[in-house]
Amino acid sequence: MEMTDKEYGKYVARLADKSPLGKDVVCAFVIGGLICVVGQLIMNGWLAAGLSKDAAGTATSVSMILLSAILTGLSIYDDIAKVAGAGTIVPITGFANSVVSPAIEFKAEGFVTGMAAKMFTIAGPVIVYGTTASVIYGLILYVFDLM
């Protein structure tokens, strides 16, 4: 039996499970919001410890990245992500997870050729484009400031 691409697409769509979009959106919103609440609580803790607002923000980012890396290493973050979906990707914790996950997955291949080489397979493009965009943005601001 030979099918065209269009017929095959209809066939697959008919057999595929329907995604519970409403449930997925609510889970992403609630769990992503809870991650942000945890971040706010950590920031409040740093502020209560006497850090300035800027220093507390930096310490909060570092704390959230560390917490995400630990939860990823313990395979807890992946379980949360199965329920939350995009709710775990958007906060800074998702970035930490995208760096730590490949490192854990490829550690058996060795430190250099496995973990170190694969660590930035997902996050690498984000770092490169983010850094490039910030340099371009800074140059534009610098040029307009000279005028």
Side-chain angles (χ1 to χ4, degrees):
M1 176 176 175
E2 196 153 321
M3 292 186 201
T4 65
D5 288 343
K6 194 173 194 177
E7 290 171 333
Y8 181 73
K10 286 180 183 179
Y11 174 73
V12 170
R14 187 170 38 90
L15 293 178
D17 291 334
K18 300 298 178 210
S19 176
L21 184 62
K23 176 185 164 269
D24 290 348
V25 169
V26 169
C27 287
F29 179 79
V30 170
I31 295 176
L34 287 173
I35 291 171
C36 294
V37 167
V38 169
Q40 185 64 51
L41 291 172
I42 291 172
M43 182 158 179
N44 291 349
W46 286 119
L47 289 169
L51 270 64
S52 70
K53 190 170 183 175
D54 286 343
T58 302
T60 300
S61 295
V62 171
S63 299
M64 292 297 287
I65 290 168
L66 176 64
L67 183 61
S68 174
I70 290 169
L71 292 176
T72 298
L74 297 173
S75 296
I76 296 170
Y77 199 88
D78 293 335
D79 295 336
I80 296 168
K82 286 177 188 171
V83 176
T88 58
I89 295 172
V90 177
I92 194 169
T93 54
F95 180 75
N97 176 262
S98 71
V99 172
V100 174
S101 291
I104 292 170
E105 184 177 344
F106 292 100
K107 74 178 181 180
E109 294 180 21
F111 182 75
V112 174
T113 59
M115 188 175 72
K118 301 292 184 178
M119 187 181 309
F120 294 105
T121 54
I122 296 173
V126 174
I127 294 170
V128 169
Y129 291 118
T131 303
T132 303
S134 65
V135 168
I136 292 169
Y137 182 67
L139 289 172
I140 290 169
L141 287 177
Y142 179 75
V143 167
F144 280 111
D145 193 39
L146 289 177
M147 292 180 171

